Amino acid sequence: MKLLEYQAKAQLQASGIPVPDGRVARSAAEARAAAETLGPVAVKAQVPIGGRGKAGGIKLARTPDEAAAAAEAILGMELRGYRVPAVWCEQLLPIAAELYCGITVDRDRRGLVVMLSLAGGMEIEEVAAQAPERIAKLWPDPFAGPQPYEIRQLVFAACRAVPPPAAITPARLAAQMVPLVRALHRLADRLDASLCEINPLVVTPDGRLVAGDAKLEVDPNAEFRQQDLVALAAEDGGAATSGDDPLEVVARERGLTYVHLGGEVGVIGNGAGLVMNTLDLVQRSGGAAANFLDIGGGAKAEVVTRALEMVLLDPNVRGIFLNIFGGITRGDEVARGVIEARDALGLDKPLVVRMTGTREVEGRRLLEAAGIAPAASAPEAARLIVELTRDGRSRR
Amino acid sequence: MSILVDRDTRLLVQGMTGGEGTFHTEQMIAYGTTVVAGVSPGKGGTTHLGRPVFDTVQDAVAATGANTAAVFVPPPAAADAIMEAAAAGVGLVVAITEGVPILDTIRARAFLERRGVRLIGPNCPGLVSPRHQAKVGIIPNHISSPGPVGIVSRSGTLTYEIIQGLGRAGLGQSSSVGIGGDPVPGLSFAEVVSLFAADPETECVVLAGEIGGSDEERAAELIGQGYPKPVVAFISGRTAPPGKRMGHAGAIISGTTGTPASKVSALTAAGAVVADTIEEIVELVSARLRPRAVSGA
């Protein structure tokens, strides 16, 4: 779950991190009113993607008229699949330099990492890829959090990697970064953020730090205790999620672990690794998977039915490959689910079922009696479904 | 003695009285695991599945001498349960729970590391050592058989597929360990692979990785430093697109890290042989064990 810039900035501000003065506007009139109060503003599309400026989602406005015109142009715009529900009108900042400061999960170090670079701004991804030594890092203790001395070390290391601008000395930067990093870390911790990023972190000509932009991503596993943020993300038409694939949105509403991939073979299986492997098998046989759908451990009849229903919502699906390892999942139960679902849905597309595990003999017998041929192995099932869906194409 | 669990394992199950906990504890008992206690706060003093239930892990350890804990506690309380077990003195905690917030896992993992307590999981199927009839977790009882192959994997059902495939070819396992599909796991591939190196029961190692992170690459570094046993590797999710979380929270290619190409080339360069299918894993393992069997005969 990603928060929008204005939502993330409100969180920063509440944590004591300076942000520019701004207003949310959902119409040209509101943008005009904002500019009347704030003076010259940046009018920024509120969608949860990077590179908004390059995509035309940020315009500068010197007057209220210009702000209204900018909002008119941006509101309702579609940026990489996200319709813009609101703009953030923000007082223009005098900029001496742009830094980068972010906290995210470092999988290799098994903890959070604080990153600071004096080469911040739009090209930080390139810096990370081409010149990673220009980004200083700190791995805070997961219980104690980052200590002031560690943050000072981080700042001085960052200043050695990239010399600071004339507007600020390393010592003055360190003095301001200590409370800022501690506040950012507390925020990440309190909101279960898997990413908490300020880019650019603006240095003004008089040497102050202000958050020019903010990104906040919340760990989906922690949504149960971040209900305020879930509600917040649903505001503005759920802009933070509305740009997602429509089929994936439906799947999420139905509580299914589904990823849309675009091919023609619907894939259903139990267990993430198993389903990923099934996608690989389909491709190795010359087909293209339409989706990833993991029905998890206990594949009861009702779950199988919902999974088949979900996969069939995709009009490109020409056939379905159901790959079930029955550990705790009973083969006869899966078979009953498959038959029930096929009959209820009036499924007229090829269906190949590969199933092993407890009661697999009973399960296969049930499938065969119902006219569904169970495949002996997963590679064989993959070959079969690819062949069947290809035949379907040539008949057309 | 196998790598992590054996006949000396005395298991306590946190969340034993719940639905999942009950079912899988029955299965573990049926397999032969020595289950000595359950822990469910508020149900202390009762008995479940013929085992005493305690309010706290501390009580359970004091009364039964439990040395291993299995965690079947729902996500909001899972990390706390893991730390409770470690603080009470068990040496190994196996966390089955799926959906634990990552910051909770990070803290629990660090807590255990400082106490020298091993963590497997969360979001894992656990482990089984067939010769010792010791199973902690949810790997189906009927698929495993004793033998020389050590398996370490991030995925649950894929592990079962590999166990079953090997079994059908007459190849049993020394231990099968599912380390879990989360971005921050307890024991890593490299740690389990090095346990297998020192394990006399293990003659060949199967490492089943998947896209995301760089733990497979870390294991490859270890294997490249003169690993004493043949390693057959497998990477699933080779056709997964970048940026999409493939079910497991950890199975996501982000930027240039976590790609299958990087993992396959690191493992190959380290001297492991990489299989394309589960069927091929079985063939490759079989080919690596047969010459040994002949020379040993």
Side-chain angles (χ1 to χ4, degrees):
Chain A
M1 185 175 62
K2 296 174 179 174
L3 295 191
L4 296 172
E5 177 193 3
Y6 81 90
Q7 297 166 337
K9 278 187 169 162
Q11 297 290 342
L12 292 183
Q13 190 169 30
S15 306
I17 297 172
V19 300
D21 200 2
R23 304 275 185 280
V24 180
R26 294 179 181 80
S27 67
E30 285 179 10
R32 179 193 302 278
E36 276 162 3
T37 323
L38 298 168
V41 288
V43 180
K44 304 166 89 175
Q46 294 303 287
V47 283
I49 58 166
R52 287 171 299 164
K54 285 180 190 160
I58 299 178
K59 292 185 191 300
L60 301 184
R62 279 162 302 175
T63 64
D65 278 351
E66 283 182 19
E72 189 74 52
I74 294 171
L75 284 167
M77 203 183 237
E78 203 170 290
L79 294 178
R80 268 191 267 140
Y82 291 85
R83 193 158 291 281
V84 180
V87 290
W88 173 242
C89 302
E90 177 177 87
Q91 224 161 35
L92 287 179
L93 279 175
I95 296 172
E98 294 186 328
L99 319 185
Y100 169 92
C101 183
I103 296 181
T104 190
V105 175
D106 185 335
R107 294 176 65 158
D108 280 346
R109 296 291 190 114
R110 311 296 199 226
L112 290 176
V113 58
V114 182
M115 294 174 288
L116 175 67
S117 176
L118 273 71
M122 295 211 289
E123 315 299 341
I124 191 68
E125 280 82 7
E126 267 171 47
V127 173
Q130 308 295 328
E133 72 282 356
R134 291 162 74 87
I135 300 174
K137 293 180 178 181
L138 153 64
W139 294 272
D141 181 282
F143 292 95
Q147 298 304 302
Y149 76 89
E150 294 177 305
I151 301 168
R152 287 195 303 273
Q153 285 172 352
L154 177 78
V155 172
F156 288 111
C159 290
R160 277 195 298 276
V162 180
I168 199 160
T169 61
R172 185 150 177 233
L173 181 61
Q176 291 185 73
M177 285 304 293
V178 167
L180 187 145
V181 167
R182 284 166 69 88
L184 200 63
H185 183 269
R186 271 196 302 272
L187 188 67
D189 196 59
R190 186 166 58 78
L191 303 185
D192 281 301
S194 43
L195 175 70
C196 197
E197 188 179 85
I198 303 174
N199 186 36
L201 175 59
V202 170
V203 181
T204 61
D206 58 349
R208 288 177 302 118
L209 297 178
V210 184
D213 195 359
K215 259 194 207 134
L216 228 157
E217 281 182 36
V218 179
D219 173 11
N221 282 355
E223 284 179 13
F224 68 86
R225 63 185 180 202
Q226 298 293 349
Q227 286 301 306
D228 289 356
L229 295 181
V230 172
L232 200 61
E235 281 176 20
D236 283 316
T241 50
S242 65
D244 295 355
D245 186 285
L247 286 168
E248 292 177 11
V249 173
V250 173
R252 198 159 44 227
E253 283 162 9
R254 297 183 179 189
L256 294 168
T257 308
Y258 172 98
V259 179
H260 186 213
L261 299 170
E264 65 277 347
V265 178
V267 173
I268 301 171
N270 60 343
L274 179 73
V275 182
M276 270 191 275
N277 182 44
T278 310
L279 305 179
D280 295 350
L281 288 174
V282 168
Q283 196 185 58
R284 195 166 292 123
S285 302
N291 65 277
F292 167 104
L293 206 176
D294 174 13
I295 54 175
K300 296 226 169 10
E302 183 260 335
V303 182
V304 176
T305 309
R306 289 198 299 132
L308 284 169
E309 249 169 11
M310 181 65 226
V311 167
L312 290 169
L313 288 181
D314 177 355
N316 291 331
V317 167
R318 293 207 177 91
I320 298 174
F321 178 1
L322 183 65
N323 190 3
I324 299 291
F325 185 95
I328 31 173
T329 312
R330 281 166 34 182
D332 55 339
E333 215 169 67
V334 175
R336 252 181 236 112
V338 173
I339 297 161
E340 210 177 285
R342 181 200 60 177
D343 295 347
L345 301 168
L347 178 65
D348 56 355
K349 292 174 180 171
L351 173 64
V352 173
V353 180
R354 181 266 172 173
M355 178 173 77
T356 83
T358 46
R359 301 205 195 198
E360 67 181 71
V361 180
E362 288 96 321
R364 286 200 193 135
R365 209 176 290 144
L366 284 170
L367 287 175
E368 270 168 346
I372 300 169
S377 75
E380 188 198 306
R383 278 190 291 276
L384 189 57
I385 191 66
V386 170
E387 200 182 295
L388 289 171
T389 46
R390 212 176 263 139
D391 283 354
R393 200 169 351 185
S394 61
R395 269 203 298 272
R396 229 156 265 167
Chain B
M1 163 82 210
S2 72
I3 57 170
L4 293 158
V5 292
D6 58 24
R7 285 183 205 279
D8 295 328
T9 295
R10 295 176 64 76
L11 183 72
L12 68 84
V13 181
Q14 291 165 273
M16 181 170 83
T17 56
E20 294 278 301
T22 298
F23 177 81
H24 291 293
T25 303
E26 280 171 344
Q27 294 293 310
M28 288 188 279
I29 292 170
Y31 194 76
T33 311
T34 308
V35 178
V36 295
V39 173
S40 290
K43 293 189 178 155
T46 63
T47 300
H48 188 64
L49 307 176
R51 269 55 179 183
V53 178
F54 299 87
D55 288 322
T56 68
V57 180
Q58 196 177 36
D59 290 348
V61 169
T64 66
N67 54 20
T68 302
V71 176
F72 286 92
V73 170
D80 185 56
I82 293 168
M83 293 191 282
E84 183 188 0
V90 308
L92 172 69
V93 182
V94 181
I96 306 303
T97 313
E98 178 178 359
V100 180
I102 191 160
L103 296 184
D104 286 8
T105 302
I106 286 170
R107 272 187 290 267
R109 195 192 163 283
F111 187 92
L112 267 63
E113 194 172 57
R114 282 164 206 188
R115 282 163 181 76
V117 178
R118 284 177 168 144
L119 171 67
I120 296 178
N123 187 18
C124 81
L127 72 164
V128 57
S129 294
R131 183 168 302 152
H132 306 269
Q133 288 179 279
K135 178 184 100 163
V136 179
I138 63 175
I139 296 175
N141 286 356
H142 65 279
I143 58 175
S144 299
S145 54
V149 187
I151 302 176
V152 58
S153 168
R154 254 156 83 175
S155 148
T157 39
L158 206 56
T159 310
Y160 313 161
E161 290 272 15
I162 295 166
I163 294 173
Q164 193 171 65
L166 290 170
R168 284 180 176 165
L171 298 164
Q173 307 84 43
S174 54
S175 295
S176 303
V177 184
I179 57 173
D182 278 359
V184 173
L187 282 191
S188 65
F189 274 123
E191 285 165 307
V192 178
V193 164
S194 64
L195 290 174
F196 279 137
D199 175 32
E201 292 177 6
T202 303
E203 292 170 31
C204 178
V205 174
V206 173
L207 183 157
E210 61 192 31
I211 54 163
S214 48
D215 274 24
E216 290 81 357
E217 288 88 332
R218 295 291 89 77
E221 280 167 23
L222 178 85
I223 295 163
Q225 291 159 15
Y227 194 72
K229 296 171 187 184
V231 178
V232 175
F234 178 80
I235 302 295
S236 68
R238 294 209 207 180
T239 57
K244 296 259 190 184
R245 168 175 158 162
M246 304 305 281
H248 280 163
I252 184 165
I253 298 170
S254 41
T256 52
T257 61
T259 64
S262 151
K263 294 175 191 301
V264 170
S265 72
L267 286 160
T268 308
V273 51
V274 181
D276 280 340
T277 61
I278 291 173
E279 288 71 13
E280 207 182 315
I281 296 177
V282 176
E283 286 164 24
L284 291 169
V285 168
S286 180
R288 268 146 195 81
L289 287 174
R290 215 163 279 137
R292 289 172 164 241
V294 169
S295 67

